[in-house]
Amino acid sequence: MTTRSRAVVLEEFGRPLQLREFDVPDPGEMSAVVRVGYAGVCGTDVHLRAGKLPVPTPVVLGHEAVGQVSALGKGLTHDVLGNPLHEGDWVSWLNNVACGRCRFCLVEHQPTLCTGNRKIYGINQSSDAWPHLSGGWSDYIYLQPGTVLVKMPEVATPQQVISLGCAGPTAVHGVLDEVRVRFGDTVVVQGSGPVGLASAMYAQLAGAAQVIVVGGPAARLELTEQLGIGHHHLDIFEVTDPAERVEQVRRRTDGNAGADVVIEATGAPSAVAEAIEYARPDGSISVVGQYTDHGTTPINPHLITRKNLNISGSWGFGARHYIGYVSSLPQLLERFDLGRLVSEYPLTDANSAIDDVKAGAVLKAVLRVSDE
């Protein structure tokens, strides 16, 4: 096995990322070393570089990736679903390792709220500390004991698996777990980034009669329409008045009553107040997009009470959501050309990729690693 690995490191907030080299350790018991093939660039990475989340530096970025098993540690013989693992197998993995001991892990079954030092690849593990290679923006990543490792389904290429990165399991949590989409429902999805589009796809798979995507810009909505993601598309850059957007959406619902389910996936605090207006009485809202703190926004709580609304927060994703994403890939690929969402960059162009994500110039930026 190669003894050195390149890695893209965030050393200072607000500064360009740096390409560094680290030794590749041998895997310990129940651990694995994976040769990264593709690594996704997420909106969270933009926030990390800007210093909007309290993470240690330096850190190898990359919390979504796929790759081939390079070496398996003692005792690690199967993935989490019982499939045998061998060197060379293509795998993906849950990006966090919960403690498995705290109240939220054991009693509430909400490991995303783990209070026991949850480890997150590419986010909260300093590259100064062993095993150093704890992020996916690198030639190799060291997967520690307790990692939910999944052998990729044969029907999906590595590019297709990474196309929804962490957006896929995030949507499984927010759309299928925190709210319930039923056959015949009208669903409004706010946001046309990866999380918003993944949410729209899962709403369609769940049987929604119509999915209305409220987002932009126009070129992104045009591609979304071409891929069959959503049935109606409303451009927020064309319809800039929130009241007019609400009116246009409600006209598409039964009796102008509003949507059965609203998924907020924008990251803009004001979108939450708009979601309350979109929802019908006794409707459901899943707030998925507020991962980083962009501040407060005024809402009218009377509407929540008067409309008897059910509002859920959705924070990240756990093992069942990630496994749900991987298991659903055959169904997703039957309906949607996921590969068209992706724009590829070499690992050495990580700064350009993150700049393009910040500017909204691409839908899903992916770092191509293994063929360099």
Side-chain angles (χ1 to χ4, degrees):
M1 186 175 72
T2 303
T3 58
R4 298 286 285 175
S5 173
R6 300 170 304 160
V8 176
V9 179
L10 170 63
E11 296 183 341
E12 295 181 64
F13 297 129
R15 303 290 297 172
L17 309 173
Q18 302 298 319
L19 193 66
R20 303 299 186 214
E21 285 197 357
F22 298 90
D23 290 330
V24 180
D26 294 326
E29 188 173 358
M30 297 302 293
S31 300
V33 175
V34 173
R35 173 77 161 103
V36 177
Y38 298 89
V41 181
C42 174
T44 300
D45 296 310
V46 177
H47 302 319
L48 289 171
R49 188 179 66 170
K52 293 182 178 179
L53 288 170
V55 299
T57 56
V59 59
V60 178
L61 293 182
H63 57 276
E64 43 182 64
V66 298
Q68 291 180 280
V69 175
S70 179
L72 293 168
K74 181 180 178 180
L76 186 57
T77 58
H78 294 74
D79 74 356
V80 70
L81 298 177
N83 300 305
L85 287 175
H86 305 93
E87 291 184 8
D89 285 343
W90 278 95
V91 293
S92 60
W93 51 92
L94 179 66
N95 64 13
N96 62 90
V97 183
C99 76
R101 299 182 300 275
C102 71
R103 168 186 172 180
F104 292 102
C105 287
L106 289 177
V107 180
E108 306 297 341
H109 302 293
Q110 291 284 4
T112 62
L113 301 177
C114 172
T115 57
N117 192 31
R118 184 169 64 119
K119 300 175 182 177
I120 310 175
Y121 292 113
I123 293 181
N124 70 353
Q125 300 185 75
S126 171
S127 60
D128 278 347
W130 189 91
H132 311 294
L133 295 169
S134 295
W137 293 8
S138 54
D139 292 316
Y140 291 87
I141 185 171
Y142 189 98
L143 300 181
Q144 300 172 39
T147 301
V148 175
L149 188 63
V150 185
K151 189 174 180 179
M152 293 196 321
E154 293 182 358
V155 298
T157 67
Q159 297 95 326
Q160 290 168 332
V161 174
I162 201 62
S163 66
L164 291 180
C166 65
T170 295
V172 170
H173 184 190
V175 178
L176 304 183
D177 215 13
E178 295 299 333
V179 292
R180 179 176 297 176
V181 177
R182 295 170 295 190
F183 283 98
D185 275 353
T186 291
V187 177
V188 170
V189 175
Q190 298 170 279
S192 53
V195 174
L197 297 191
S199 297
M201 291 185 227
Y202 279 110
Q204 288 174 241
L205 289 185
Q210 64 169 339
V211 174
I212 303 170
V213 178
V214 182
R220 179 171 293 186
L221 292 181
E222 182 179 345
L223 176 60
T224 301
E225 188 171 0
Q226 291 174 7
L227 296 177
I229 303 172
H231 303 94
H232 308 287
H233 305 83
L234 180 59
D235 188 344
I236 63 172
F237 297 101
E238 180 180 329
V239 184
T240 57
D241 179 17
E244 176 60 24
R245 291 197 293 265
V246 170
E247 177 62 25
Q248 289 196 25
V249 166
R250 291 171 69 88
R251 283 203 298 264
R252 293 191 176 277
T253 65
D254 289 342
N256 295 331
D260 301 290
V261 177
V262 182
I263 310 295
E264 183 281 313
T266 68
S270 61
V272 178
E274 199 167 318
I276 292 172
E277 297 284 355
Y278 287 135
R280 66 162 171 81
D282 205 39
S284 297
I285 299 171
S286 181
V287 181
V288 181
Q290 306 298 313
Y291 191 76
T292 53
D293 189 348
H294 287 277
T296 59
T297 188
I299 63 172
N300 185 349
H302 170 66
L303 295 179
I304 299 173
T305 302
R306 182 172 62 81
K307 296 173 77 171
N308 203 60
L309 294 179
N310 306 285
I311 302 179
S312 299
S314 181
W315 179 251
F317 52 90
R320 71 176 182 269
H321 311 122
Y322 192 77
I323 294 168
Y325 166 60
V326 176
S327 300
S328 69
L329 279 167
Q331 288 76 32
L332 287 170
L333 291 169
E334 282 182 5
R335 296 188 61 172
F336 308 108
D337 185 359
L338 299 183
R340 290 188 62 188
L341 303 176
V342 170
S343 297
E344 292 189 9
Y345 299 75
L347 182 67
T348 50
D349 282 354
N351 280 298
S352 297
I354 206 169
D355 286 341
D356 287 348
V357 171
K358 180 180 179 182
V362 295
L363 188 46
K364 181 61 185 177
V366 169
L367 301 178
R368 185 180 63 253
V369 181
S370 62
D371 61 346
E372 293 185 51

